[in-house]
Amino acid sequence: MVENRKNNDSNNKIEIANRIANQSKKVVKTYAHIEDNFLRLFRWFSSWIDKALFNAKYGKFISLILAILLYLTVNFNSENTLFASQIQSSRDKNGVSVTALYNEETFEVSGLPSTVNITITGDGSSVNASYNSEGVVIANLEGLTEGVHNVKLTTQGFSESTNIKIEPSNVLVTLRKKTTRQFDLSYDFINLSKMDSIYSVGVPEFEYTKVNVRASKETLDSISFVKALIDVSGQSTDFTNQASLVAYDKNGLPVNADIVPNTITVKVPVTSPNKTVPIVVQAIGDVIEGKAIDSIKMDQQTVTIYGSESVLSKIDQVVVTVDMSTILKDSTLLRPITLPTGVNSSSINQITMEVTLADAIVKTIEGVTINYKNNVNNYRFGADNNVVTVPVDVIGSEKNIANITKDDINVYFDMSNAVPGPQEFQLIVEQPANTFVKYSLKQTTYKGVVVGENVDQSQSQETGGNE
């Protein structure tokens, strides 16, 4: 059994060896066939090359092709640039800054635009790079003397592979020599709206009151004043600050000039002047027919106002108006407080008032003396020394008119335009302030004789009163 198994293994090994040998022979024949075909192709190609190169008919054509290939190989990079440059683009860029190169200590320049427009041309990537760059336009004035010059503008900071066209490309500029002149210093407060309105700024104190300004004679002649601009933002107490100095012309427009130095130290006092004054109601418009104001009561009687001392000294009250033509019955109103001119703020900005109406009553008061005003020429009337009086109707609620007498009423005529001789004057009755009654005249004119002789003012009261 064992011997038969060994014989079978030997036969299998011999069979595998024969298969490998046969396969190797096939591979050798295949490679030999491929090699033979390659050699045939090579001999054919070599023969064709020989015919082409050494044939007069094809030699010139082959030489041209080889020359072109050699040129393209040597100039590959430059050819790429040439082909790429044929794809051109352009972009306009406006408002490019113009920088002047000159001696700023000696000369003043005029006529030079602050910006110009440019057109950028080149390949797309270079154009975009130049457009987004911080490039500027240069006006080189170095070496130029005083006078007018035609200057060609150049560029700086743009891609070298782009072409820049400047509009305008040339400008006429004027160079003037600078001189120095001294000016008095004034001031303005700025950002007052950013300061709490209860505060007021006083007169600032400067470390010096005159400044030197350097510019051309023409520019110096146009300067009317130099101001220190004092920023008061958020200030509530005395402060010290550095104020910028600016020169202005007669129209209040800034003038471009060198101010030496261009800032100044300033001390500013800050105060909070205030004054408490009464609130007074002023009724305007006519009350509905048959009615009169009986009373107006307010929830606030006084208000504290803030402003400069000079303004506050002239204010004795704050008036709140109410239009009676819109009120048909007893009403509660919310009314704003209108601040007098120059007042910055107040402790309250509105009040609540209760308006009460009552039946209107007419009371006639007899014997109200007629006075006169504005007797600028010191005229007198005829020999009649009798005092002249007129009746006056008083209209209001019963409560408000009860205690009014003739001494409370002022009736007069105006003599500012009087001339000697018989004349008729228009009578005027002065309406009462801060009350809710109204006066009306039954007699509206007064006739008399004006004597043209000048007399003492103390003797000129012929009609009962002089104001």
Side-chain angles (χ1 to χ4, degrees):
M1 177 74 81
V2 174
E3 186 177 352
N4 289 334
R5 182 178 295 173
K6 290 181 177 179
N7 290 332
N8 290 334
D9 290 340
S10 297
N11 292 333
N12 288 337
K13 291 179 179 178
I14 293 171
E15 185 178 357
I16 291 172
N18 290 333
R19 288 179 181 176
I20 293 173
N22 292 333
Q23 187 67 30
S24 298
K25 289 179 181 180
K26 289 182 181 180
V27 171
V28 170
K29 288 182 180 180
T30 300
Y31 276 109
H33 181 69
I34 292 173
E35 183 179 1
D36 183 56
N37 289 336
F38 177 77
L39 290 175
R40 288 181 181 178
L41 178 63
F42 178 77
R43 286 194 293 270
W44 175 85
F45 183 73
S46 177
S47 174
W48 183 86
I49 290 296
D50 290 340
K51 291 181 181 180
L53 291 178
F54 301 104
N55 189 315
K57 182 177 180 181
Y58 300 108
K60 294 181 179 180
F61 179 72
I62 295 300
S63 298
L64 177 61
I65 293 176
L66 292 176
I68 292 174
L69 291 174
L70 179 63
Y71 176 83
L72 292 177
T73 301
V74 174
N75 298 282
F76 178 76
N77 290 333
S78 61
E79 287 299 317
N80 279 345
T81 303
L82 176 63
F83 296 146
S85 63
Q86 294 175 355
I87 305 175
Q88 300 285 304
S89 66
S90 66
R91 292 185 71 176
D92 294 328
K93 187 173 184 179
N94 299 330
V96 181
S97 299
V98 177
T99 300
L101 304 179
Y102 69 103
N103 187 341
E104 298 182 21
E105 293 295 323
T106 304
F107 292 108
E108 176 186 280
V109 176
S110 61
L112 185 68
S114 58
T115 61
V116 293
N117 301 328
I118 64 173
T119 300
I120 308 170
T121 305
D123 65 89
S125 60
S126 297
V127 168
N128 289 333
S130 288
Y131 186 88
N132 296 316
S133 71
E134 298 297 327
V136 294
V137 174
I138 303 296
N140 191 350
L141 312 179
E142 294 179 341
L144 300 181
T145 59
E146 187 174 17
V148 180
H149 304 275
N150 190 341
V151 179
K152 182 175 179 60
L153 301 180
T154 59
T155 59
Q156 181 178 301
F158 296 99
S159 173
E160 295 182 357
S161 60
T162 57
N163 178 54
I164 309 295
K165 180 182 177 182
I166 307 172
E167 184 59 40
S169 58
N170 288 67
V171 291
L172 283 177
V173 298
T174 302
L175 291 178
R176 296 187 179 96
K177 284 189 176 180
K178 291 181 177 180
T179 59
T180 301
R181 188 179 301 174
Q182 199 170 69
F183 288 84
D184 291 327
L185 187 61
S186 57
Y187 64 91
D188 266 342
F189 293 115
I190 61 175
N191 293 324
L192 282 168
S193 62
K194 296 181 181 179
M195 183 180 186
D196 195 316
S197 57
I198 70 171
Y199 298 107
S200 294
V201 287
V203 178
E205 179 184 341
F206 296 101
E207 57 181 328
Y208 44 82
T209 59
K210 294 181 181 292
V211 292
N212 292 324
V213 181
R214 185 168 176 79
S216 68
K217 180 181 181 301
E218 291 80 359
T219 298
L220 292 175
D221 289 342
S222 71
I223 296 175
S224 293
F225 46 86
V226 177
K227 286 189 174 184
L229 304 182
I230 306 171
D231 189 351
V232 299
S233 300
Q235 300 294 345
S236 59
T237 59
D238 298 355
F239 66 94
T240 300
N241 205 347
Q242 287 293 317
S244 300
L245 302 182
V246 180
Y248 295 91
D249 63 16
K250 63 181 181 180
N251 297 317
L253 299 176
V255 176
N256 187 16
D258 299 332
I259 303 176
V260 184
N262 58 5
T263 62
I264 186 173
T265 302
V266 57
K267 297 179 180 179
V268 183
V270 178
T271 58
S272 183
N274 62 83
K275 183 178 183 180
T276 300
V277 295
I279 300 173
V280 176
V281 175
Q282 183 179 64
I284 60 175
D286 295 328
V287 185
I288 59 172
E289 187 175 356
K291 293 292 183 179
I293 302 172
D294 193 46
S295 67
I296 296 181
K297 296 179 180 179
M298 300 177 292
D299 64 340
Q300 302 287 336
Q301 306 302 315
T302 61
V303 59
T304 301
I305 55 177
Y306 297 84
S308 65
E309 292 182 357
S310 59
V311 170
L312 296 180
S313 64
K314 301 175 183 178
I315 300 174
D316 296 321
Q317 62 184 25
V318 170
V319 176
V320 177
T321 60
V322 55
D323 186 358
M324 295 306 301
S325 64
T326 63
I327 299 176
L328 306 179
K329 60 181 180 178
D330 295 351
S331 304
T332 299
L333 307 175
L334 189 65
R335 300 297 300 161
I337 294 177
T338 301
L339 298 179
T341 302
V343 174
N344 299 328
S345 64
S346 60
S347 57
I348 56 175
N349 53 28
Q350 62 184 11
I351 62 170
T352 300
M353 61 176 67
E354 294 181 1
V355 180
T356 303
L357 301 181
D359 293 334
I361 296 174
V362 179
K363 175 183 177 181
T364 301
I365 297 180
E366 301 288 346
V368 178
T369 301
I370 298 177
N371 301 303
Y372 59 81
K373 289 183 177 181
N374 303 320
N375 188 10
V376 293
N377 294 310
N378 290 332
Y379 291 144
R380 64 181 179 84
F381 291 91
D384 185 3
N385 291 325
N386 293 328
V387 176
V388 179
T389 63
V390 291
V392 177
D393 287 341
V394 181
I395 306 165
S397 69
E398 182 177 4
K399 179 181 69 175
N400 289 328
I401 69 174
N403 297 321
I404 294 178
T405 67
K406 64 180 181 180
D407 295 331
D408 299 318
I409 306 173
N410 180 29
V411 178
Y412 66 92
F413 59 89
D414 191 340
M415 290 189 65
S416 57
N417 296 320
V419 293
Q423 282 177 59
E424 184 176 68
F425 294 95
Q426 188 73 31
L427 291 180
I428 301 170
V429 61
E430 191 174 276
Q431 296 296 329
N434 306 329
T435 64
F436 306 125
V437 299
K438 182 179 180 181
Y439 299 151
S440 177
L441 289 171
K442 291 182 176 294
Q443 176 184 333
T444 59
T445 61
Y446 169 71
K447 294 181 180 180
V449 177
V450 177
V451 178
E453 299 173 0
N454 290 346
V455 297
D456 274 347
Q457 186 70 21
S458 60
Q459 300 175 354
S460 62
Q461 184 174 336
E462 294 291 336
T463 61
N466 177 24
E467 297 183 4

